[in-house]
Amino acid sequence: MNKKLVFHVIGKLLCAVSLMLIAPMIVSIIYTEQSWWSFGVTAVISLALGILLLKITKGFSRVIYAKEGFAIVSLSWITVSLIGSLPFIISKEIPSFADAFFESVSGYTTTGASILNNVEKLSHGMLFWRSFNHWIGGMGVLVFMLAFVSSITDRSIHILRAEMPGPIVGKLAPRSKDTSKVLYIIYIVLTVSQIVMLCCGDMNLFESIIHSFGTAGTGGFGIKSDSIASYSSYSQWVITAFMFIFGINFNVFYLFILKRFKAAIKSSELAVYTLITVFSIIIISFDISHLFNNLSDTIRTSAFQVVSITTTTGFSSVDFNLWPSLSKSILTVLMFIGACAGSTAGGFKMSRVVIVFKMISNEIKKMIHPRSVSTVKFEGKDVDENTQRSVTSYFAIYFVCILIIFMLISLEPFDFETNFTATVSCFNNVGPGMSAVGPMSSYAEYSVFSKILLSFAMLLGRLEIFPILIAFIPSTWRKR
């Protein structure tokens, strides 16, 4: 293990985080809030720790392999989450460490689960900070650094593969640094487009920025306790459209930039993502039609919640806790599936769902025709055995992790629906669950132990399990 490289990268990241803290500090100063100094103190702490690590790791080797990539990603996310909790604690807006850490992890992992019962009490600076974390975490804190900070190693693809969600991560450009820039250019253009469109509705600039950050990162932190419910139909439709867009694999956008329209449109993952979304909207619209006065409200509300849950954004326009069982069951299933690989969404990912069903279909064909030779294809290409094994392994460990966390959370005095959906929602980075952790409620009533456990569930889900597990296996840190 190249330990010096690992901690050198974390040192650079801490320096980058200290610069990120300037943005919420400026927001606090603009609104003449006292919380500005909590960001200043945190920035100094982050910068000091970063410089210290850079000095200690002088003369590091630039050699990086997969296990260094996993260790860098895991420790970096835990570090930024700890640093991200400091402004809440220092300002005393969220004085409890467990609560502040939960809120910080939820921000960076773009989960959107909150311990706040009255989010309106937070200062503008803190509201901006938690949503800004969504925006950074959506694409990945290390992808952000690779895009804007000089390369640490020529093999940064190991970091990208460890951090980007989905079964397969490749380069969009010849160098990982260029890939990161391409991703962020697309990300920024889409975010700015949404800000402009929301400003044309009933949101002011601050509200537009906050909700665009939450949508882009598919995070779901808002500035009101009722989430999006009190905003106009126009704003809800804009957010619905952009939630769907940010749930698409960013490779598709890159293909559009290259004017390879046929290749982009022929994406089987995009087709399945669209079909599942549309089908769910239709079924739920029929199921909840008696709750609304007209068809347009029914479709808008159904579309908003389906897209919000599918993309694991977690915004809410209504309290879907009050919906019929069929609708709630569909939303719970969508919590598991998630959106496309290579997007900012969480969940199991559409690509894995497609591959799993194609593997099952292939096995059935082999049983019927034992001598036939058939292969699993995805996006027009053969899925090799390594990728199939990877998907199968992830499928198994994914459910094992959810089961273990659920059993531990079940020590809490809540009903089955609350504990189960809290586990699934946090692990899949969705945010709201059902019952006591529904869209109009919070996670405030959980114990310190459960809040810390659910925080690590969010990290496991966002980093797709293996980076965290590998980083904490003792053999990972042994010398080669």
Side-chain angles (χ1 to χ4, degrees):
M1 170 63 77
N2 189 347
K3 295 177 185 176
K4 277 194 172 184
L5 172 65
V6 172
F7 290 105
H8 186 86
V9 174
I10 293 172
K12 277 201 167 187
L13 181 62
L14 284 168
C15 292
V17 170
S18 69
L19 294 175
M20 283 165 47
L21 284 154
I22 295 172
M25 185 165 64
I26 291 171
V27 172
S28 293
I29 291 170
I30 290 171
Y31 285 94
T32 63
E33 296 168 339
Q34 293 300 312
S35 58
W36 70 268
W37 67 275
S38 63
F39 297 112
V41 171
T42 306
V44 171
I45 293 170
S46 184
L47 183 61
L49 289 173
I51 292 171
L52 179 63
L53 282 176
L54 291 177
K55 285 188 176 181
I56 292 172
T57 56
K58 271 186 178 180
F60 70 95
S61 169
R62 291 169 65 89
V63 176
I64 182 173
Y65 295 99
K67 67 178 182 179
E68 279 88 3
F70 287 130
I72 287 168
V73 168
S74 300
L75 295 180
S76 294
W77 277 77
I78 293 170
T79 301
V80 296
S81 296
L82 287 168
I83 292 294
S85 67
L86 291 181
F88 298 119
I89 298 169
I90 294 169
S91 66
K92 296 183 179 179
E93 293 193 38
I94 304 179
S96 163
F97 168 75
D99 288 352
F101 183 68
F102 183 95
E103 203 76 10
S104 178
V105 172
S106 184
Y108 277 116
T109 59
T110 72
T111 304
S114 181
I115 50 78
L116 296 168
N117 289 316
N118 188 2
V119 70
E120 285 95 338
K121 285 186 177 180
L122 287 184
S123 62
H124 288 81
M126 289 300 165
L127 289 170
F128 181 89
W129 175 236
R130 63 206 284 271
S131 292
F132 188 49
N133 289 346
H134 274 341
W135 194 77
I136 297 297
M139 192 60 69
V141 291
L142 287 160
V143 174
F144 173 81
M145 193 178 72
L146 287 172
F148 299 107
V149 179
S150 60
S151 276
I152 299 150
T153 171
D154 295 329
R155 301 177 70 182
S156 298
I157 189 64
H158 288 302
I159 296 174
L160 282 177
R161 282 175 179 156
E163 188 173 44
M164 290 298 288
I168 304 167
V169 175
K171 296 180 179 182
L172 300 180
R175 294 191 307 161
S176 298
K177 183 178 173 66
D178 294 333
T179 297
S180 304
K181 284 182 177 178
V182 169
L183 289 170
Y184 255 98
I185 288 169
I186 296 169
Y187 197 47
I188 290 168
V189 168
L190 289 174
T191 304
V192 172
S193 299
Q194 185 181 356
I195 291 170
V196 171
M197 290 189 71
L198 287 176
C199 281
C200 293
D202 60 334
M203 292 189 187
N204 60 38
L205 180 59
F206 179 78
E207 291 172 321
S208 299
I209 291 171
I210 294 298
H211 291 104
S212 295
F213 282 172
T215 306
T218 60
F221 275 153
I223 62 174
K224 296 183 179 181
S225 296
D226 66 357
S227 191
I228 309 297
S230 57
Y231 289 104
S232 67
S233 299
Y234 168 81
S235 294
Q236 290 181 21
W237 273 120
V238 169
I239 292 172
T240 301
F242 276 94
M243 285 191 293
F244 184 84
I245 289 168
F246 282 107
I248 296 172
N249 192 321
F250 273 59
N251 283 344
V252 173
F253 300 127
Y254 189 62
L255 289 172
F256 273 110
I257 292 171
L258 297 178
K259 296 183 179 179
R260 293 170 58 184
F261 303 117
K262 286 186 179 179
I265 295 170
K266 284 183 179 179
S267 168
S268 57
E269 183 184 33
L270 177 59
V272 172
Y273 170 53
T274 305
L275 284 172
I276 288 177
T277 302
V278 171
F279 182 73
S280 299
I281 291 169
I282 292 170
I283 297 298
I284 290 179
S285 292
F286 277 109
D287 195 41
I288 65 171
S289 58
H290 65 283
L291 299 175
F292 297 90
N293 296 322
N294 55 69
L295 182 61
S296 63
D297 285 348
T298 304
I299 294 173
R300 171 174 50 80
T301 305
S302 174
F304 187 95
Q305 289 309 148
V306 166
V307 176
S308 180
I309 297 298
T310 303
T311 60
T312 71
T313 306
F315 281 135
S316 303
S317 60
V318 292
D319 186 357
F320 52 76
N321 248 336
L322 305 175
W323 284 3
S325 295
L326 175 60
S327 295
K328 291 200 291 183
S329 297
I330 292 171
L331 292 180
T332 302
V333 171
L334 294 176
M335 286 182 188
F336 282 98
I337 297 173
C340 301
S343 70
T344 60
F348 189 69
K349 302 294 183 302
M350 290 288 175
S351 57
R352 287 196 181 97
V353 172
V354 173
I355 291 170
V356 165
F357 275 97
K358 287 193 174 185
M359 287 168 63
I360 293 170
S361 175
N362 195 46
E363 286 301 312
I364 292 172
K365 285 179 184 177
K366 286 181 179 179
M367 288 178 184
I368 298 171
H369 306 287
R371 294 185 180 182
S372 66
V373 178
S374 58
T375 58
V376 176
K377 288 184 176 290
F378 179 69
E379 303 291 14
K381 298 177 182 177
D382 289 343
V383 179
D384 59 50
E385 289 186 7
N386 286 336
T387 302
Q388 291 184 48
R389 188 166 57 250
S390 167
V391 170
T392 305
S393 300
Y394 184 77
F395 185 76
I397 198 167
Y398 171 86
F399 283 104
V400 167
C401 286
I402 288 177
L403 178 62
I404 292 171
I405 294 165
F406 170 62
M407 293 302 290
L408 291 171
I409 289 296
S410 294
L411 295 170
E412 295 281 352
F414 296 110
D415 58 57
F416 173 86
E417 188 177 35
T418 297
N419 288 327
F420 180 70
T421 57
T423 302
V424 172
S425 184
C426 285
F427 195 89
N428 289 303
N429 308 129
V430 178
M434 302 287 180
S435 193
V437 290
M440 302 304 163
S441 306
S442 74
Y443 290 72
E445 297 305 314
Y446 274 105
S447 66
V448 170
F449 168 77
S450 293
K451 286 172 184 173
I452 298 297
L453 179 62
L454 289 173
S455 296
F456 277 96
M458 293 181 224
L459 287 166
L460 279 169
R462 172 60 180 83
L463 300 180
E464 301 201 329
I465 304 168
F466 292 111
I468 294 284
L469 294 185
I470 291 170
F472 286 94
I473 294 173
S475 60
T476 303
W477 296 90
R478 292 174 192 158
K479 290 184 179 179
R480 292 189 183 88

